[in-house]
Amino acid sequence: MESILKVIHVEKYYGNKENVTKAIDDIGFEVKTGEFIGVMGASGSGKTTLLNIISTIDNVSAGHVLLDGKDITELAEKEIAKFRRENLGFIFQDCNLLDTLTVHENIALALTINKIPPDEIDRKVIGVSKQLGIEDILNQYPYEISGGEKQRCACARAMVTIPKLILADEPTGALDSKSAGMLLETLSNMNDVLSATILMVTHDAFSASYCSRILFLKDGRIFSELIKGEKSRRQFLNEILDVMALLGGGTSDVR
Amino acid sequence: MYVKLALRNIKRSLKDYAVYFVTIVFSVSILFAFLSLGFSKDVLSLAENMGTLKGMILALSFIITAIVGLMTNYATTFIIKKRKHEFGTYLLLGMEKGQVVKMFLAENLLIGLSAFGTGLMLGMFIFQVFTYIIQTIFESPFTPNVSFSPPATGLSALFFFIMYVMNTLRGGTLVSRMKIVDLIYSARYNEKQRIKTPLLFSAIFMISVLLCVGGGAALAKTLGLSDNRVYYYMALSLACMLGGLYGVYACLPIGLHLLQTKIKKWSYRGSNLFLISQITSKINTTGKTMGVLAMLLTAALCSLSLGFSISAMYKTNIQYESPFDIAVGIDTPYIQSFDEVLHFVHGITPVKDFVDYKIYQITDTTDIRLQKTDILRLSDYNRLRVQLGLDEKQIGKREFIVHSDTWHIRKTIEEELNHHPTIDINGILLSSGIENLFTEPFQQYRINGTRGYALVLPDEICNALPPVKARFVATTYSSAPQTLKGDLTRYIKKEWRPELTSVPSGQSPIAMVVSVKSWSVANGLMGLTTISFGVMYVSLIFFLTVGTILALQQLTDAAEHKYRFDLLQKLGVAREDIKGIVGKQLALYFLLPVMLPVIITLCVITIVNRIYGTFILVENTIPYYTAISFAMFLMVYGCYFIACYRGFMRNIMRKSPHI
């Protein structure tokens, strides 16, 4: 399978001359089309910074990020918005749904920004919401539905444009375990059935066990890598826990 | 979809920032009403020098635009801060920055334009009320005239552009410059706490207090001065007071924080811990904002109280100012007669009756009560009384009359009449009594008694006294035209007695007074109108600004406050108690910035009243109008407080956070 994302020697520094913090210290990896890749690490290990760089929210200090062969670190300000809406989908911990719009409209907004012909929009919105099981709440406002439902709406919004890469930042962070489980099934489903490529940042071993491959970050570097392969999810989870113990992140994060 | 989104956003903005947009509507309507007044032909034709009103309204409009502009600036920044996360989401979904900025501008301009339109309509109504009031003051019949005067509308649009549109555009630039990473993670940033060392803080606090008190003391001193430096010093001491005021408020949250950490007993009492933390949680901005608000309030309260008092002074002084239709005074005895003046006046407006007379003084006397005191002949006095429609007075050969229309020296005169009722005029003893003291308006100070009172002596005694001033008083059949004052003055100075104005150097010029009742009344009414409307204009806007900023501060932190109050409820505070705490918190926010301004205003008023109160011909004018001003302020402020309280309760009692 061809690789959709290439991260090449990326570095990111914060601070000034006297006091430099290396948030990301020479990271490189590839993601293949249809992969569900997880990035794990303790707080401050650089996971979110990495995600922000890949999602063009933040820029690199050094290195390159190639998405589908295109170097996103060299995109001009104007191209970034276009690139983002055509290639990326986002799922954040706090959903980022607009409270002035209904669920239906929130999902449709992503399509209108992409200038999809109006007569196709409703069909697409209803299609994706059926797949994610949110067709009953389409006409409700974000503040009228539960956290888990909101997060599935965010998934629908991220997916509806059929982006090349879906980026998820702690999507289960604000959810109870049942909703979290449902959301992970949804993501996994999106990956299997719709062959969406997903990059998920998490510090939770249970969430990570749904991925097909996991990168472990420590102090801004890749510390280790795990591949699920043909293993069962339980086996994979145990392996993750072992690496986490090695990382020194402790097992306190394990549910 | 963008249109739908923008419309929904507008709907939400109108709900969340209702107080702000209502204030914009009111500001526009007040601005427009006053500008219309300034350009209204009906109003400007009421008095010869009504142009002053126009000039003042234009000048004040600039100040008001600046202040409302500041408020809009504050509100725009505030609203953008609250919407950062939303803007970030748009960008994340792939909207271009230009699109986001365009949407922000479209939303705000649409709101602004409708506020402007509504403001104009409301302003037209207020303008009618103003016209009615002013025409009633001038006793001129009121004719409603609903027409949008082009200059007033144009200027309103210009000022609105400066105060609102420019700030919106600036907001657009602000949004366009923001980085997406800051927008998305904005909520996680806290306001950095910058607590000075207690020593430095105490020093700044003490200096501020000293500036306040020192400014007040300096004001008391300088108002006593009688030359032009008084304005310079007055401005300086007022600046000191305002600067000190700002300093005190800027230090307040830090002071509270220190108190909270040092005096545990106090901070643990009742809901103090929670309330103080609410204020100190935004330690930098709260104090500074309160400082600015306090400065605005002080300026508004002082100008409203003093302005009302001054206009009341005009009102009460009108009838004392010119009781005679026409009066001319020339402070030299060498005017034989005013025949030519009479002829000139008669050519303009028919004269019914006139008095051509002299004022006498005693040159050599040791009695300080008589030195430089103006003396009238009894016959002249009675003829003057006839001009005013009063009865004639008769006295015995060895008696005299005192006439004083000035209340603050009357008490002294009464005392003298009770205890030392005898005077010695060139060896002749005359006596009087309290029954021979008359107080009708008699145009004293200027015409009949420069010191605020005059003695009236029997004619034969006056015959022996030297005349020192020439006077002429005329009564006309109908009210003289206002222009007569200028025409008559010109006639006397240029044609009749040009030598009066060409005094050889080294000699003081001869004092000359020309007064025309119709002009004085119009002038007094004009002064009354200009000042009272002017101070109302400025203070109303200042009150609105302060109320809006306070309410905005409280209402827009809805989510934050809701979280805190939810927590309080979970910690076991009953719903009723929550109401109490909200009331206390809002009262604290609304009262704190008012406390010092009220104290300072009362001090300034007391000082001014002590020094200038005597110039007003009716007692207690200043305290009375100060009370009225405070009542007006309380009314406006109270409305904002109630609106804020209701909005706040609705916010925190809402089931789930809105944003």
Side-chain angles (χ1 to χ4, degrees):
Chain A
M1 241 186 265
E2 60 179 296
S3 76
I4 184 137
L5 177 72
K6 276 187 191 166
V7 176
I8 306 161
H9 298 297
V10 164
E11 300 185 15
K12 176 74 183 175
Y13 315 131
Y14 289 113
N16 48 27
K17 266 184 203 164
E18 286 86 36
N19 187 13
V20 178
T21 314
K22 277 193 177 176
I24 291 182
D25 188 7
D26 193 15
I27 284 185
F29 65 93
E30 285 186 23
V31 179
K32 297 206 161 40
T33 310
E35 257 195 299
F36 185 178
I37 187 166
V39 177
M40 287 196 75
S43 312
S45 59
K47 333 184 271 294
T48 299
T49 310
L50 180 65
L51 186 92
N52 283 345
I53 286 172
I54 295 171
S55 60
T56 66
I57 289 175
D58 214 343
N59 41 18
V60 295
S61 302
H64 296 279
V65 178
L66 302 184
L67 189 74
D68 207 16
K70 194 164 183 143
D71 190 346
I72 62 172
T73 58
E74 297 191 339
L75 284 177
E77 171 79 26
K78 272 218 160 172
E79 294 170 289
I80 285 180
K82 189 168 179 290
F83 177 83
R84 209 180 274 146
R85 67 174 176 248
E86 285 173 358
N87 298 293
L88 301 177
F90 293 94
I91 305 165
F92 273 76
Q93 181 177 346
D94 48 2
C95 319
N96 284 358
L97 293 175
L98 297 168
D99 64 333
T100 51
L101 301 179
T102 62
V103 170
H104 187 120
E105 289 161 343
N106 260 294
I107 300 168
L109 182 68
L111 291 169
T112 55
I113 291 174
N114 267 300
K115 303 196 174 64
I116 304 289
D119 41 329
E120 285 180 38
I121 288 181
D122 273 356
R123 193 176 52 75
K124 288 194 178 212
V125 171
I126 290 167
V128 78
S129 42
K130 271 193 185 142
Q131 281 162 354
L132 296 183
I134 49 168
E135 68 267 37
D136 295 336
I137 52 168
L138 278 182
N139 290 323
Q140 278 170 304
Y141 284 93
Y143 51 84
E144 295 170 325
I145 60 180
S146 75
E149 287 169 326
K150 270 191 228 172
Q151 204 54 291
R152 270 183 286 151
C153 294
C155 287
R157 189 182 62 183
M159 275 193 62
V160 74
T161 56
I162 316 178
K164 297 201 174 92
L165 180 65
I166 293 175
L167 298 162
D169 188 3
E170 306 269 10
T172 56
L175 301 182
D176 58 277
S177 58
K178 185 164 169 276
S179 304
M182 278 172 75
L183 182 79
L184 289 164
E185 285 296 341
T186 308
L187 285 175
S188 188
N189 205 34
M190 277 158 67
N191 177 242
D192 287 346
V193 181
L194 307 166
S195 49
T197 314
I198 302 173
L199 188 145
M200 177 172 77
V201 161
T202 183
H203 67 271
D204 171 34
F206 178 75
S207 299
S209 68
Y210 281 83
C211 301
S212 54
R213 181 158 69 111
I214 296 169
L215 299 175
F216 291 89
L217 296 194
K218 188 179 183 182
D219 301 330
R221 288 169 173 270
I222 295 181
F223 174 79
S224 166
E225 186 178 346
L226 272 185
I227 298 171
K228 188 177 175 194
E230 298 304 314
K231 286 177 278 238
S232 73
R233 207 161 58 72
R234 176 148 291 283
Q235 273 178 308
F236 194 43
L237 179 61
N238 284 332
E239 280 185 32
I240 298 170
L241 293 176
D242 289 343
V243 177
M244 283 180 79
L246 264 178
L247 264 171
T251 48
S252 59
D253 281 338
V254 180
R255 271 203 193 111
Chain B
M1 195 68 180
Y2 287 128
V3 178
K4 195 188 249 176
L5 187 59
L7 287 178
R8 296 272 178 86
N9 285 342
I10 288 178
K11 209 172 119 192
R12 186 200 43 195
S13 292
L14 285 180
K15 213 162 102 192
D16 285 1
Y17 312 114
V19 183
Y20 167 57
F21 294 114
V22 168
T23 305
I24 293 284
V25 170
F26 275 124
S27 304
V28 170
S29 62
I30 292 171
L31 193 74
F32 176 68
F34 275 98
L35 284 171
S36 300
L37 204 62
F39 286 100
S40 160
K41 288 196 183 74
D42 293 343
V43 172
L44 290 182
S45 63
L46 286 172
E48 200 190 9
N49 49 3
M50 209 64 180
T52 319
L53 179 73
K54 183 177 173 177
M56 184 214 55
I57 286 178
L58 279 179
L60 289 183
S61 297
F62 279 101
I63 299 175
I64 279 163
T65 305
I67 295 295
V68 177
L70 275 182
M71 181 198 74
T72 321
N73 184 351
Y74 177 86
T76 312
T77 317
F78 212 90
I79 292 173
I80 289 177
K81 222 161 82 188
K82 295 286 151 200
R83 291 182 65 181
K84 266 186 180 176
H85 200 73
E86 180 194 336
F87 293 143
T89 306
Y90 295 144
L91 293 176
L92 215 52
L93 289 175
M95 229 188 244
E96 274 159 40
K97 228 174 211 177
Q99 193 69 48
V100 177
V101 174
K102 247 190 257 170
M103 204 161 76
F104 170 80
L105 290 182
E107 280 171 36
N108 281 283
L109 291 181
L110 209 66
I111 292 178
L113 280 183
S114 44
F116 183 68
T118 320
L120 284 194
M121 297 301 149
L122 190 63
M124 185 38 84
F125 174 73
I126 299 177
F127 167 56
Q128 299 304 321
V129 176
F130 283 174
T131 315
Y132 173 74
I133 294 173
I134 291 179
Q135 293 192 322
T136 311
I137 292 175
F138 280 87
E139 289 170 358
S140 156
F142 170 67
T143 40
N145 182 7
V146 184
S147 66
F148 290 88
S149 98
T153 317
L155 274 177
S156 301
L158 176 73
F159 286 134
F160 179 72
F161 183 83
I162 296 172
M163 68 168 95
Y164 185 85
V165 179
M166 267 169 57
N167 274 314
T168 303
L169 294 178
R170 198 190 52 85
T173 327
L174 216 65
V175 173
S176 75
R177 288 219 186 106
M178 280 173 179
K179 282 194 187 151
I180 178 167
V181 62
D182 297 329
L183 288 173
I184 292 172
Y185 296 105
S186 65
R188 299 190 195 164
Y189 297 151
N190 291 325
E191 185 162 309
K192 277 183 195 145
Q193 298 219 340
R194 172 190 53 89
I195 299 187
K196 296 190 181 89
T197 53
L199 200 68
L200 184 59
F201 157 75
S202 314
I204 293 177
F205 185 74
M206 286 312 288
I207 290 171
S208 304
V209 171
L210 280 180
L211 269 178
C212 258
V213 177
L219 186 72
K221 270 259 180 297
T222 51
L223 281 181
L225 293 176
S226 56
D227 56 23
N228 279 336
R229 282 178 311 166
V230 76
Y231 297 107
Y232 175 67
Y233 287 126
M234 209 159 80
L236 204 70
S237 46
L238 283 177
C240 275
M241 283 167 87
L242 289 180
L245 191 64
Y246 179 79
V248 169
Y249 275 106
C251 286
L252 189 75
I254 304 171
L256 281 175
H257 179 84
L258 288 177
L259 277 182
Q260 189 186 9
T261 44
K262 294 265 179 319
I263 311 176
K264 291 283 181 215
K265 214 173 169 184
W266 174 68
S267 65
Y268 288 161
R269 189 176 307 142
S271 45
N272 279 2
L273 189 64
F274 182 76
L275 286 175
I276 305 294
S277 306
Q278 289 281 55
I279 290 183
T280 51
S281 68
K282 294 230 164 64
I283 208 154
N284 301 333
T285 41
T286 307
K288 282 180 189 158
T289 314
M290 276 197 181
V292 174
L293 298 187
M295 278 160 66
L296 284 179
L297 280 181
T298 312
L301 282 175
C302 279
S303 58
L304 196 61
S305 312
L306 292 179
F308 273 169
S309 305
I310 292 170
S311 56
M313 176 179 92
Y314 270 107
K315 195 178 159 206
T316 51
N317 286 16
I318 281 171
Q319 42 181 323
Y320 291 81
E321 194 77 13
S322 302
F324 302 107
D325 288 352
I326 295 160
V328 179
I330 300 174
D331 286 359
T332 168
Y334 305 112
I335 305 282
Q336 295 304 322
S337 88
F338 281 94
D339 287 351
E340 279 106 328
V341 171
L342 174 67
H343 185 73
F344 179 83
V345 173
H346 202 68
I348 293 173
T349 178
V351 174
K352 187 179 170 187
D353 195 6
F354 71 95
V355 191
D356 186 342
Y357 61 104
K358 297 279 187 295
I359 280 176
Y360 306 87
Q361 278 182 359
I362 306 163
T363 38
D364 50 339
T365 175
T366 48
D367 191 343
I368 49 159
R369 294 177 300 169
L370 299 179
Q371 280 166 3
K372 295 265 177 197
T373 297
D374 286 351
I375 295 168
L376 286 165
R377 254 174 205 274
L378 180 64
S379 58
D380 290 338
Y381 177 68
N382 276 329
R383 289 205 56 207
L384 287 171
R385 288 185 70 92
V386 170
Q387 305 301 315
L388 297 175
L390 302 170
D391 59 328
E392 296 186 34
K393 300 289 176 194
Q394 295 307 329
I395 45 170
K397 281 188 175 172
R398 291 289 177 264
E399 280 186 323
F400 71 97
I401 289 173
V402 182
H403 195 107
S404 171
D405 62 11
T406 317
W407 67 267
H408 67 96
I409 44 177
R410 209 177 290 147
K411 276 178 196 151
T412 326
I413 294 174
E414 279 167 10
E415 234 163 73
E416 287 296 316
L417 285 178
N418 281 332
H419 299 108
H420 316 281
T422 318
I423 53 169
D424 179 345
I425 308 283
N426 298 338
I428 305 166
L429 289 180
L430 300 178
S431 68
S432 188
I434 203 89
E435 69 283 356
N436 277 341
L437 170 67
F438 302 111
T439 59
E440 296 91 351
F442 213 61
Q443 203 158 356
Q444 291 187 305
Y445 271 120
R446 292 217 182 146
I447 298 287
N448 296 320
T450 325
R451 296 168 116 194
Y453 66 99
L455 302 183
V456 181
L457 307 184
D459 285 16
E460 58 271 22
I461 293 182
C462 284
N463 286 340
L465 293 173
V468 289
K469 297 168 183 177
R471 293 290 186 258
F472 172 77
V473 161
T475 307
T476 53
Y477 279 103
S478 58
S479 176
Q482 289 177 34
T483 45
L484 181 65
K485 181 179 160 81
D487 295 342
L488 187 57
T489 310
R490 256 188 306 279
Y491 169 73
I492 294 173
K493 282 188 176 169
K494 296 266 159 66
E495 290 177 39
W496 186 48
R497 288 293 162 98
E499 73 271 14
L500 287 178
T501 42
S502 55
V503 186
S505 56
Q507 285 184 30
S508 54
I510 294 164
M512 197 184 96
V513 182
V514 173
S515 79
V516 174
K517 190 179 185 173
S518 60
W519 185 91
S520 299
V521 169
N523 185 55
L525 293 177
M526 191 277 301
L528 159 89
T529 316
T530 306
I531 292 175
S532 56
F533 273 73
V535 292
M536 247 163 53
Y537 188 22
V538 172
S539 342
L540 260 181
I541 294 274
F542 280 19
F543 293 159
L544 291 185
T545 307
V546 172
T548 310
I549 290 180
L550 283 173
L552 263 188
Q553 254 187 351
Q554 295 302 302
L555 290 179
T556 41
D557 282 340
E560 212 170 298
H561 285 309
K562 177 164 173 48
Y563 172 77
R564 290 178 190 161
F565 279 97
D566 274 353
L567 206 65
L568 271 190
Q569 260 178 317
K570 281 176 194 153
L571 288 175
V573 181
R575 228 181 133 85
E576 282 309 304
D577 294 337
I578 293 272
K579 273 187 186 170
I581 294 176
V582 170
K584 264 193 214 163
Q585 178 185 331
L586 295 190
L588 207 60
Y589 264 98
F590 273 76
L591 279 183
L592 271 178
V594 180
M595 264 155 45
L596 278 185
V598 166
I599 295 172
I600 288 185
T601 307
L602 288 179
C603 288
V604 170
I605 297 293
T606 316
I607 292 167
V608 172
N609 191 36
R610 261 223 324 264
I611 295 165
Y612 288 116
T614 51
F615 292 102
I616 302 174
L617 297 176
V618 173
E619 236 174 322
N620 285 333
T621 302
I622 296 181
Y624 177 70
Y625 283 95
T626 305
I628 289 187
S629 308
F630 274 78
M632 264 180 73
F633 163 69
L634 276 183
M635 226 167 64
V636 177
Y637 211 56
C639 287
Y640 273 96
F641 180 78
I642 291 168
C644 186
Y645 180 80
R646 295 181 61 127
F648 198 94
M649 284 309 285
R650 202 179 53 226
N651 274 342
I652 65 163
M653 290 303 172
R654 195 152 45 186
K655 277 228 170 84
S656 145
H658 191 60
I659 297 164

